[in-house]
Amino acid sequence: MQEPIIEAIKDNTPIFTQDTIVFGILMVSLGLIFYTSSKKEGFWKVFYSVVPALFMAYLIPAIFTTVGIISPEWTSINDAGEASTGSSNLYYISSRYLLPAALVLMTLSIDLKAVFNLGPKALIMFLTGTAGIIIGGPVAVLLIGTISPETVGGEGADAVWKGLSTLAGSWIGGGANQTAMLEVYGYNQKLYGGMVFVDIVIANIWMAIVLIGIGKSAKIDKWLGADTSAIEALKEKVSNYALAKERNPSLTDLMVLAAIAFGTVGFAHFGAGYMSGFFTDFVNGLEPGLTRNLFTFLSSSFFWMISITTIIGVILSYTKLRSYEGAGASKFGSVFIYILVASIGMKMDLMLIFDNLGLIAIGAVWMTIHAILLILVAKLIKAPYFFLAVGSQANVGGAASAPIVASAFHPSLATVGVLLAVFGYAVGTIGAVACTFLMQLAAAS
């Protein structure tokens, strides 16, 4: 693949590039969404009975990006024809600062015993989602290859199946597993951007579908024949506790909540830096090959940040600080989560779907198989839609989006998403290797 030339690069600078302005636009959007969704009659009541507010928090920023008002990254060309790039830091800040703050605030009132009392169906649906990714990849390669052999072709470092291995790593584990697959199979890094593009498009479309389903979860659960009593019991228990401790928060309450949230963020980043550095040395000391890459996720600072945050939240839930749920801990956590959702939506340009239809088709078929398998197993074991949605997102979206989907059902359930997503990091590489082996066979057939 030839290096791009300046003349081929388009200036796609959005109207607003300054993060302070973009953040203001996102916050106004969220404010309007919540204001309109609070209406109890008329058009907005009907609208939000069909489209969840959480989905709109994702969609509106995506529309803004699509029409060029804002953008996660852009290329500018000056009068001399020189190109320069720019990017927004809002997603990074949201995922590294606000996400851990949200998780500890939402975990503060968690009843860990009640979470485990949800039973094995959450884990079964997560593993079903993993199996759907492993099976879906080779089936998609086989089907699209029958229609368009050149789409799944390529030789050596350019072989498409090698590039698709990075999608398998991302959709079972996360970014660390995705990077591991890039190293394991040596895919041409000049072509790697195309795979990242497919990852973003398909994963975000699927997340949008999952969010829409949340608004219909009662009907879906009825069709699945699901028993939601354990989930409802957990939600009711946490809600009753919050109601019993509810108070008008004082300035002291708010400052203590800020201390808990961002003190945890600071400690989590400190610990993550130390742990990722230690395990980077450990992983680099292993023999090159599959064994080393199986443990690559341990060198990810994001993995350790999420893990440390969750552990702190669970520990604090056994202390008197748990009572700060009555001062609105989970509500503030929800605010941070919605900001994260908006920053994720901002990364999605809806028009990019048409840029590489062949790879998009592979991704679409792949995710469809993942979804079908989840639905079949959920129907078979009568698992609630909550387990289907969170089990899927713990695979496809990882630790950034699984708690978003879980907390959309109830803030107390965010921990379930985090626990499954962390487990995804551990199985991501070995699952991706299995998937890639099957895709290689499918591409050669």
Side-chain angles (χ1 to χ4, degrees):
M1 183 179 183
Q2 293 183 340
E3 293 288 339
I5 57 177
I6 295 297
E7 289 77 13
I9 299 176
K10 294 182 179 180
D11 189 318
N12 60 353
T13 308
I15 296 174
F16 300 107
T17 59
Q18 192 174 337
D19 274 344
T20 48
I21 297 174
V22 175
F23 181 68
I25 292 172
L26 296 182
M27 291 306 299
V28 169
S29 300
L30 290 174
L32 289 173
I33 289 168
F34 271 83
Y35 175 76
T36 53
S37 65
S38 67
K39 298 297 182 181
K40 302 300 182 184
E41 56 185 22
F43 168 78
W44 292 116
K45 180 183 179 181
V46 176
F47 179 81
Y48 285 106
S49 68
V50 177
V51 183
L54 185 61
F55 174 69
M56 292 302 297
Y58 167 86
L59 180 63
I60 289 179
I63 293 173
F64 288 161
T65 294
T66 302
V67 299
I69 296 175
I70 60 177
S71 180
E73 55 187 6
W74 59 88
T75 300
S76 300
I77 301 177
N78 61 23
D79 294 337
E82 298 170 332
S84 61
T85 59
S87 61
S88 168
N89 288 318
L90 288 181
Y91 173 74
Y92 180 85
I93 293 171
S94 298
S95 61
R96 267 61 175 184
Y97 293 82
L98 299 186
L99 175 59
L103 292 180
V104 72
L105 290 176
M106 289 176 159
T107 308
L108 207 57
S109 63
I110 193 65
D111 186 328
L112 200 59
K113 182 179 178 182
V115 169
F116 289 126
N117 284 342
L118 292 176
K121 289 183 179 179
L123 184 59
I124 291 173
M125 293 309 298
F126 168 80
L127 293 175
T128 299
T130 302
I133 297 299
I134 293 174
I135 296 169
V139 172
V141 169
L142 201 60
L143 290 176
I144 301 301
T146 302
I147 301 169
S148 175
E150 65 276 8
T151 300
V152 299
E155 297 181 356
D158 293 349
V160 172
W161 63 266
K162 290 185 177 182
L164 295 175
S165 72
T166 65
L167 291 184
S170 176
W171 289 349
I172 297 176
N177 308 91
Q178 185 177 34
T179 303
M181 291 298 97
L182 186 63
E183 294 295 327
V184 170
Y185 293 101
Y187 184 58
N188 186 342
Q189 294 199 15
K190 292 182 180 179
L191 303 176
Y192 178 51
M195 295 299 168
V196 174
F197 160 74
V198 176
D199 181 8
I200 293 171
V201 170
I202 298 300
N204 281 298
I205 289 175
W206 175 238
M207 181 178 174
I209 294 171
V210 169
L211 293 177
I212 291 174
I214 293 175
K216 304 290 183 182
S217 60
K219 293 181 179 179
I220 295 173
D221 287 336
K222 184 176 180 180
W223 178 78
L224 292 171
D227 178 10
T228 61
S229 57
I231 297 173
E232 293 303 321
L234 174 57
K235 289 161 60 175
E236 184 177 0
K237 188 173 184 179
V238 173
S239 297
N240 288 341
Y241 177 81
L243 193 61
K245 298 292 183 178
E246 187 175 14
R247 60 185 184 272
N248 186 25
S250 65
L251 178 60
T252 299
D253 288 333
L254 297 179
M255 292 305 293
V256 170
L257 285 174
I260 293 170
F262 294 103
T264 298
V265 171
F267 184 82
H269 276 266
F270 172 79
Y274 177 81
M275 295 299 289
S276 62
F278 173 81
F279 280 101
T280 295
D281 294 337
F282 166 75
V283 171
N284 290 339
L286 298 173
E287 288 293 323
L290 180 59
T291 302
R292 173 187 290 185
N293 285 288
L294 284 175
F295 295 99
T296 299
F297 74 94
L298 292 174
S299 62
S300 166
S301 60
F302 187 78
F303 165 78
W304 287 110
M305 180 193 72
I306 295 299
S307 300
I308 292 170
T309 299
T310 305
I311 292 170
I312 292 174
V314 170
I315 291 173
L316 294 181
S317 72
Y318 287 95
T319 70
K320 291 183 178 179
L321 291 177
R322 186 170 189 255
S323 66
Y324 277 89
E325 172 60 24
S330 62
K331 290 185 177 68
F332 285 104
S334 296
V335 170
F336 298 153
I337 285 291
Y338 271 90
I339 294 173
L340 175 61
V341 171
S343 70
I344 292 175
M346 176 184 166
K347 295 171 64 180
M348 181 64 179
D349 183 341
L350 302 174
M351 296 306 295
L352 291 180
I353 296 171
F354 305 102
D355 277 11
N356 196 333
L357 292 178
L359 287 178
I360 291 295
I362 292 176
V365 172
W366 195 341
M367 201 58 66
T368 299
I369 293 168
H370 166 79
I372 290 173
L373 188 60
L374 281 167
I375 293 169
L376 289 175
V377 173
K379 183 73 172 176
L380 180 66
I381 67 173
K382 298 181 178 181
Y385 179 68
F386 168 74
F387 291 144
L388 186 157
V390 177
S392 173
Q393 281 302 303
N395 278 282
V396 178
S401 63
I404 291 174
V405 172
S407 65
F409 289 87
H410 193 275
S412 66
L413 299 173
T415 305
V416 179
V418 176
L419 293 175
L420 289 178
V422 168
F423 185 59
Y425 278 108
V427 301
T429 300
I430 190 65
V433 169
C435 178
T436 305
F437 173 74
L438 295 175
M439 287 193 292
Q440 183 180 7
L441 293 178
S445 63

